[in-house]
Amino acid sequence: DTGVSQDPRHKITKRGQNVTFRCDPISEHNRLYWYRQTLGQGPEFLTYFQNEAQLEKSRLLSDRFSAERPKGSFSTLEIQRTEQGDSAMYLCASSRLGSQGDGYTFGSGTRLTVV
Amino acid sequence: GENVEQHPSTLSVQEGDSAVIKCTYSDSASNYFPWYKQELGKRPQLIIDIRSNVGEKKDQRIAVTLNKTAKHFSLHITETQPEDSAVYFCAASSTGTASKLTFGTGTRLQVTL
């Protein structure tokens, strides 16, 4: 599979628990993005990496959220002390440096439900 | 930051008719405008894009137009088919934001038989 892979596809957690999602980008893509999508809305930018460096974070990304891309390959997004408002689809995307959106491929997302 | 508005939020057309979705953006530095199609429960998929040095781009039944002066761009789908039914998102980005996309709120297109 040469697409962007996300795991898990679905996650149900109790409020206050921590959750971690994983994204495996297309292998030759050095940029990796995290977006959040709530029902009826477009994806909202959270953060992005170029190789292993996290270069930009949205103000939507509170201190309960942390993202890593330790070796410039896969990335993880962790949410600590989850709240009901964190329920959303978390989308990962990847692209090539300099492509300005060309080859911007989304994964199928992880749907988080906080109960 | 960039703000993208999209209209209408829902659109119902008969098979064979045309559909038009419109977006406006706020940041004059934005220079890349993609359109994504998202079917229920699936990932957004790029269907067409346009850069600010071009006024119109066409790919079979799909076309996008851009008016930089007015800061708006539109998606045109001709000869609509039932499989065109989905949610469509416009987006905008500028080179200064490293391809970060700002999305509109989406248009649910329903093509009826």
Side-chain angles (χ1 to χ4, degrees):
Chain A
D1 185 356
T2 57
V4 177
S5 299
Q6 291 189 247
D7 183 71
R9 291 293 305 275
H10 304 274
K11 179 70 176 178
I12 300 174
T13 190
K14 291 184 178 179
R15 189 173 46 190
Q17 297 295 305
N18 299 343
V19 294
T20 300
F21 311 140
R22 176 179 170 128
C23 172
D24 287 88
I26 293 172
S27 57
E28 61 265 30
H29 285 183
N30 52 7
R31 283 187 175 166
L32 187 149
Y33 308 80
W34 285 99
Y35 283 79
R36 180 172 66 188
Q37 186 176 25
T38 54
L39 198 62
Q41 299 296 315
E44 294 177 297
F45 172 80
L46 294 178
T47 188
Y48 103 93
F49 293 84
Q50 184 167 301
N51 301 313
E52 67 276 8
Q54 188 174 18
L55 297 187
E56 188 172 350
K57 291 194 294 186
S58 165
R59 62 181 182 276
L60 293 175
L61 214 65
S62 76
D63 56 4
R64 296 185 298 106
F65 287 71
S66 62
E68 294 183 343
R69 195 182 183 197
K71 296 182 180 180
S73 56
F74 73 91
S75 175
T76 58
L77 177 68
E78 180 183 17
I79 309 175
Q80 296 182 326
R81 305 181 303 281
T82 52
E83 301 173 356
Q84 286 190 322
D86 296 332
S87 296
M89 175 73 84
Y90 290 84
L91 292 165
C92 176
S94 67
S95 73
R96 291 186 309 275
L97 176 63
S99 64
Q100 203 199 0
D102 294 338
Y104 205 105
T105 303
F106 279 96
S108 296
T110 293
R111 182 169 295 284
L112 173 66
T113 302
V114 182
V115 298
Chain B
E2 176 66 278
N3 181 50
V4 177
E5 295 189 354
Q6 183 172 349
H7 301 280
S9 57
T10 60
L11 179 60
S12 182
V13 299
Q14 285 196 320
E15 184 180 5
D17 287 350
S18 296
V20 180
I21 302 170
K22 298 182 179 182
C23 289
T24 60
Y25 62 98
S26 61
D27 187 352
S28 57
S30 289
N31 56 6
Y32 175 69
F33 308 93
W35 286 87
Y36 286 83
K37 175 183 180 181
Q38 188 174 30
E39 297 178 41
L40 190 63
K42 296 192 176 180
R43 71 188 74 189
Q45 292 193 304
L46 179 69
I47 55 171
I48 195 167
D49 57 14
I50 191 167
R51 299 186 184 281
S52 59
N53 57 348
V54 175
E56 183 174 357
K57 182 177 178 180
K58 190 173 182 180
D59 182 4
Q60 299 183 337
R61 298 186 296 109
I62 295 173
V64 58
T65 58
L66 171 66
N67 182 328
K68 281 192 66 181
T69 303
K71 289 192 277 190
H72 66 71
F73 56 113
S74 301
L75 178 71
H76 305 253
I77 307 174
T78 59
E79 300 171 21
T80 53
Q81 300 168 2
E83 52 265 38
D84 294 329
S85 296
V87 179
Y88 292 80
F89 293 99
C90 62
S93 81
S94 67
T95 53
T97 51
S99 301
K100 177 182 77 174
L101 294 175
T102 301
F103 285 84
T105 50
T107 297
R108 181 172 299 279
L109 174 64
Q110 181 69 44
V111 180
T112 58
L113 298 173

